[in-house]
Amino acid sequence: MIENLKTLNQLAKGEKGIVHHLSGGRRISDRLLVMGFTLGAEVTVIQNPGFGPVIVNVRDSRIALGRGEANKVMVSSKPL
Protein backbone atom coordinates (compact mmCIF):
# COMPACT_ATOMS: atom_id res chain seq x y z
CA MET A 1 0.00 0.00 0.00
CA ILE A 2 1.33 3.44 -0.91
CA GLU A 3 1.39 5.92 1.92
CA ASN A 4 1.43 9.68 1.56
CA LEU A 5 -0.29 9.68 -1.85
CA LYS A 6 -1.46 13.23 -2.68
CA THR A 7 -2.50 15.32 -5.65
CA LEU A 8 -0.32 18.23 -6.80
CA ASN A 9 -3.02 20.57 -5.45
CA GLN A 10 -2.24 19.31 -1.94
CA LEU A 11 1.48 20.09 -2.04
CA ALA A 12 2.77 23.40 -0.70
CA LYS A 13 5.45 25.62 -2.21
CA GLY A 14 8.83 23.87 -2.05
CA GLU A 15 7.42 20.38 -1.54
CA LYS A 16 8.54 17.54 -3.80
CA GLY A 17 6.76 14.44 -4.97
CA ILE A 18 7.30 11.49 -7.28
CA VAL A 19 4.64 10.91 -9.95
CA HIS A 20 2.78 7.75 -8.95
CA HIS A 21 -0.07 7.78 -11.48
CA LEU A 22 -2.42 10.02 -13.44
CA SER A 23 -6.17 9.91 -12.94
CA GLY A 24 -8.80 11.03 -15.38
CA GLY A 25 -9.50 10.19 -18.99
CA ARG A 26 -7.15 9.42 -21.81
CA ARG A 27 -7.12 12.97 -23.17
CA ILE A 28 -5.91 14.61 -19.97
CA SER A 29 -3.54 11.74 -19.18
CA ASP A 30 -1.95 11.98 -22.63
CA ARG A 31 -1.60 15.76 -22.25
CA LEU A 32 0.11 15.40 -18.86
CA LEU A 33 2.42 12.65 -20.16
CA VAL A 34 3.58 14.84 -23.04
CA MET A 35 4.40 17.61 -20.53
CA GLY A 36 6.68 15.22 -18.61
CA PHE A 37 4.46 13.84 -15.84
CA THR A 38 5.60 10.26 -16.33
CA LEU A 39 5.81 7.48 -13.74
CA GLY A 40 8.69 8.16 -11.36
CA ALA A 41 9.32 11.78 -12.43
CA GLU A 42 10.22 14.15 -9.59
CA VAL A 43 7.97 17.20 -9.29
CA THR A 44 8.79 20.31 -7.22
CA VAL A 45 6.07 22.85 -6.46
CA ILE A 46 7.20 26.41 -7.25
CA GLN A 47 3.89 28.15 -6.52
CA ASN A 48 0.58 26.97 -5.10
CA PRO A 49 -1.38 29.82 -3.53
CA GLY A 50 -4.55 27.71 -3.11
CA PHE A 51 -6.24 29.33 -6.13
CA GLY A 52 -5.24 29.85 -9.74
CA PRO A 53 -2.54 27.80 -11.46
CA VAL A 54 -0.11 25.46 -9.73
CA ILE A 55 3.42 26.06 -11.03
CA VAL A 56 5.84 23.13 -10.87
CA ASN A 57 9.22 21.99 -12.10
CA VAL A 58 9.20 18.59 -13.77
CA ARG A 59 12.01 17.16 -15.92
CA ASP A 60 13.88 20.51 -16.04
CA SER A 61 10.77 22.38 -17.25
CA ARG A 62 8.60 24.90 -15.42
CA ILE A 63 4.94 24.15 -16.08
CA ALA A 64 1.75 25.93 -15.00
CA LEU A 65 -1.20 23.61 -14.50
CA GLY A 66 -4.80 24.54 -13.93
CA ARG A 67 -6.21 23.30 -10.64
CA GLY A 68 -8.21 20.60 -12.44
CA GLU A 69 -5.10 19.32 -14.20
CA ALA A 70 -3.04 19.41 -11.01
CA ASN A 71 -5.77 17.40 -9.29
CA LYS A 72 -5.19 14.55 -11.78
CA VAL A 73 -1.48 14.10 -10.93
CA MET A 74 -1.03 11.73 -7.98
CA VAL A 75 2.36 11.90 -6.28
CA SER A 76 4.03 10.07 -3.42
CA SER A 77 6.69 11.36 -1.10
CA LYS A 78 8.76 8.18 -1.40
CA PRO A 79 10.53 6.85 -4.52
CA LEU A 80 8.70 4.06 -6.33
Side-chain angles (χ1 to χ4, degrees):
M1 180 120 197
I2 299 294
E3 295 180 25
N4 300 324
L5 204 59
K6 298 179 179 180
T7 67
L8 282 182
N9 282 343
Q10 295 172 310
L11 298 182
K13 179 180 178 177
E15 282 191 279
K16 294 183 180 186
I18 305 296
V19 176
H20 183 267
H21 72 273
L22 304 174
S23 60
R26 182 176 178 155
R27 227 177 192 187
I28 187 67
S29 294
D30 286 349
R31 177 172 156 71
L32 291 167
L33 285 169
V34 167
M35 288 191 280
F37 295 93
T38 57
L39 180 67
E42 184 177 85
V43 180
T44 304
V45 176
I46 303 300
Q47 180 179 326
N48 185 3
F51 59 90
V54 178
I55 300 174
V56 299
N57 270 345
V58 62
R59 300 197 178 277
D60 296 324
S61 295
R62 185 173 285 197
I63 298 179
L65 295 173
R67 301 214 64 85
E69 292 172 318
N71 201 40
K72 305 289 189 217
V73 181
M74 301 299 296
V75 296
S76 65
S77 58
K78 297 179 183 179
L80 298 176

